[in-house]
PDB file of all heavy atoms in Angstrom:
ATOM      1  N   SER A 264      91.354  -5.952  88.646  1.00  0.00           N
ATOM      2  CA  SER A 264      91.159  -6.397  90.023  1.00  0.00           C
ATOM      3  C   SER A 264      90.316  -7.674  90.060  1.00  0.00           C
ATOM      4  O   SER A 264      89.469  -7.904  89.199  1.00  0.00           O
ATOM      5  CB  SER A 264      90.445  -5.293  90.802  1.00  0.00           C
ATOM      6  OG  SER A 264      90.030  -5.763  92.057  1.00  0.00           O
ATOM      7  N   SER A 265      90.555  -8.477  91.085  1.00  0.00           N
ATOM      8  CA  SER A 265      89.728  -9.685  91.259  1.00  0.00           C
ATOM      9  C   SER A 265      88.740  -9.500  92.409  1.00  0.00           C
ATOM     10  O   SER A 265      88.248 -10.466  92.988  1.00  0.00           O
ATOM     11  CB  SER A 265      90.615 -10.899  91.498  1.00  0.00           C
ATOM     12  OG  SER A 265      91.503 -10.616  92.556  1.00  0.00           O
ATOM     13  N   SER A 266      88.466  -8.236  92.768  1.00  0.00           N
ATOM     14  CA  SER A 266      87.501  -7.965  93.841  1.00  0.00           C
ATOM     15  C   SER A 266      86.155  -8.609  93.528  1.00  0.00           C
ATOM     16  O   SER A 266      85.727  -8.654  92.383  1.00  0.00           O
ATOM     17  CB  SER A 266      87.270  -6.449  93.975  1.00  0.00           C
ATOM     18  OG  SER A 266      88.382  -5.799  94.486  1.00  0.00           O
ATOM     19  N   LYS A 267      85.488  -9.054  94.593  1.00  0.00           N
ATOM     20  CA  LYS A 267      84.123  -9.570  94.459  1.00  0.00           C
ATOM     21  C   LYS A 267      83.137  -8.411  94.649  1.00  0.00           C
ATOM     22  O   LYS A 267      83.535  -7.301  95.030  1.00  0.00           O
ATOM     23  CB  LYS A 267      83.853 -10.617  95.550  1.00  0.00           C
ATOM     24  CG  LYS A 267      84.831 -11.791  95.517  1.00  0.00           C
ATOM     25  CD  LYS A 267      84.397 -12.807  94.474  1.00  0.00           C
ATOM     26  CE  LYS A 267      85.342 -13.987  94.380  1.00  0.00           C
ATOM     27  NZ  LYS A 267      86.498 -13.753  93.485  1.00  0.00           N
ATOM     28  N   LEU A 268      81.874  -8.676  94.410  1.00  0.00           N
ATOM     29  CA  LEU A 268      80.822  -7.685  94.670  1.00  0.00           C
ATOM     30  C   LEU A 268      80.103  -8.064  95.960  1.00  0.00           C
ATOM     31  O   LEU A 268      79.847  -9.248  96.194  1.00  0.00           O
ATOM     32  CB  LEU A 268      79.807  -7.649  93.519  1.00  0.00           C
ATOM     33  CG  LEU A 268      80.353  -7.455  92.097  1.00  0.00           C
ATOM     34  CD1 LEU A 268      79.200  -7.375  91.097  1.00  0.00           C
ATOM     35  CD2 LEU A 268      81.217  -6.196  92.014  1.00  0.00           C
ATOM     36  N   VAL A 269      79.805  -7.066  96.800  1.00  0.00           N
ATOM     37  CA  VAL A 269      78.905  -7.312  97.937  1.00  0.00           C
ATOM     38  C   VAL A 269      77.705  -6.394  97.777  1.00  0.00           C
ATOM     39  O   VAL A 269      77.833  -5.258  97.297  1.00  0.00           O
ATOM     40  CB  VAL A 269      79.559  -7.053  99.310  1.00  0.00           C
ATOM     41  CG1 VAL A 269      80.575  -8.105  99.640  1.00  0.00           C
ATOM     42  CG2 VAL A 269      80.116  -5.662  99.420  1.00  0.00           C
ATOM     43  N   PHE A 270      76.545  -6.896  98.166  1.00  0.00           N
ATOM     44  CA  PHE A 270      75.300  -6.141  97.956  1.00  0.00           C
ATOM     45  C   PHE A 270      74.764  -5.653  99.297  1.00  0.00           C
ATOM     46  O   PHE A 270      74.580  -6.444 100.217  1.00  0.00           O
ATOM     47  CB  PHE A 270      74.268  -7.023  97.237  1.00  0.00           C
ATOM     48  CG  PHE A 270      74.664  -7.302  95.817  1.00  0.00           C
ATOM     49  CD1 PHE A 270      75.519  -8.358  95.512  1.00  0.00           C
ATOM     50  CD2 PHE A 270      74.203  -6.496  94.785  1.00  0.00           C
ATOM     51  CE1 PHE A 270      75.911  -8.602  94.210  1.00  0.00           C
ATOM     52  CE2 PHE A 270      74.586  -6.735  93.474  1.00  0.00           C
ATOM     53  CZ  PHE A 270      75.449  -7.793  93.182  1.00  0.00           C
ATOM     54  N   ASN A 271      74.567  -4.334  99.395  1.00  0.00           N
ATOM     55  CA  ASN A 271      73.988  -3.721 100.586  1.00  0.00           C
ATOM     56  C   ASN A 271      72.591  -3.211 100.242  1.00  0.00           C
ATOM     57  O   ASN A 271      72.200  -3.207  99.080  1.00  0.00           O
ATOM     58  CB  ASN A 271      74.854  -2.552 101.068  1.00  0.00           C
ATOM     59  CG  ASN A 271      76.271  -3.000 101.404  1.00  0.00           C
ATOM     60  OD1 ASN A 271      76.462  -4.074 101.968  1.00  0.00           O
ATOM     61  ND2 ASN A 271      77.253  -2.189 101.047  1.00  0.00           N
ATOM     62  N   GLY A 272      71.867  -2.736 101.254  1.00  0.00           N
ATOM     63  CA  GLY A 272      70.531  -2.189 100.988  1.00  0.00           C
ATOM     64  C   GLY A 272      70.617  -0.902 100.178  1.00  0.00           C
ATOM     65  O   GLY A 272      71.639  -0.208 100.204  1.00  0.00           O
ATOM     66  N   LEU A 273      69.555  -0.606  99.452  1.00  0.00           N
ATOM     67  CA  LEU A 273      69.504   0.661  98.708  1.00  0.00           C
ATOM     68  C   LEU A 273      69.123   1.768  99.694  1.00  0.00           C
ATOM     69  O   LEU A 273      68.118   1.665 100.385  1.00  0.00           O
ATOM     70  CB  LEU A 273      68.457   0.562  97.591  1.00  0.00           C
ATOM     71  CG  LEU A 273      68.484   1.675  96.548  1.00  0.00           C
ATOM     72  CD1 LEU A 273      69.774   1.638  95.743  1.00  0.00           C
ATOM     73  CD2 LEU A 273      67.279   1.560  95.616  1.00  0.00           C
ATOM     74  N   PRO A 274      69.934   2.843  99.773  1.00  0.00           N
ATOM     75  CA  PRO A 274      69.606   3.932 100.711  1.00  0.00           C
ATOM     76  C   PRO A 274      68.242   4.548 100.398  1.00  0.00           C
ATOM     77  O   PRO A 274      67.801   4.545  99.247  1.00  0.00           O
ATOM     78  CB  PRO A 274      70.722   4.949 100.470  1.00  0.00           C
ATOM     79  CG  PRO A 274      71.843   4.169  99.866  1.00  0.00           C
ATOM     80  CD  PRO A 274      71.199   3.068  99.070  1.00  0.00           C
ATOM     81  N   LYS A 275      67.604   5.094 101.439  1.00  0.00           N
ATOM     82  CA  LYS A 275      66.284   5.713 101.251  1.00  0.00           C
ATOM     83  C   LYS A 275      66.356   6.850 100.226  1.00  0.00           C
ATOM     84  O   LYS A 275      67.295   7.647 100.243  1.00  0.00           O
ATOM     85  CB  LYS A 275      65.790   6.248 102.598  1.00  0.00           C
ATOM     86  CG  LYS A 275      64.379   6.811 102.536  1.00  0.00           C
ATOM     87  CD  LYS A 275      63.778   6.962 103.921  1.00  0.00           C
ATOM     88  CE  LYS A 275      62.504   7.796 103.921  1.00  0.00           C
ATOM     89  NZ  LYS A 275      61.585   7.545 102.811  1.00  0.00           N
ATOM     90  N   ASP A 276      65.354   6.893  99.372  1.00  0.00           N
ATOM     91  CA  ASP A 276      65.199   7.954  98.350  1.00  0.00           C
ATOM     92  C   ASP A 276      66.305   7.969  97.296  1.00  0.00           C
ATOM     93  O   ASP A 276      66.463   8.951  96.568  1.00  0.00           O
ATOM     94  CB  ASP A 276      65.089   9.353  98.999  1.00  0.00           C
ATOM     95  CG  ASP A 276      63.846   9.511  99.843  1.00  0.00           C
ATOM     96  OD1 ASP A 276      62.866   8.775  99.600  1.00  0.00           O
ATOM     97  OD2 ASP A 276      63.843  10.369 100.749  1.00  0.00           O
TER      98      ASP A 276
END
Side-chain angles (χ1 to χ4, degrees):
S264 170
S265 52
S266 290
K267 302 278 179 275
L268 307 183
V269 289
F270 291 85
N271 301 321
L273 192 65
K275 185 164 167 41
D276 295 336

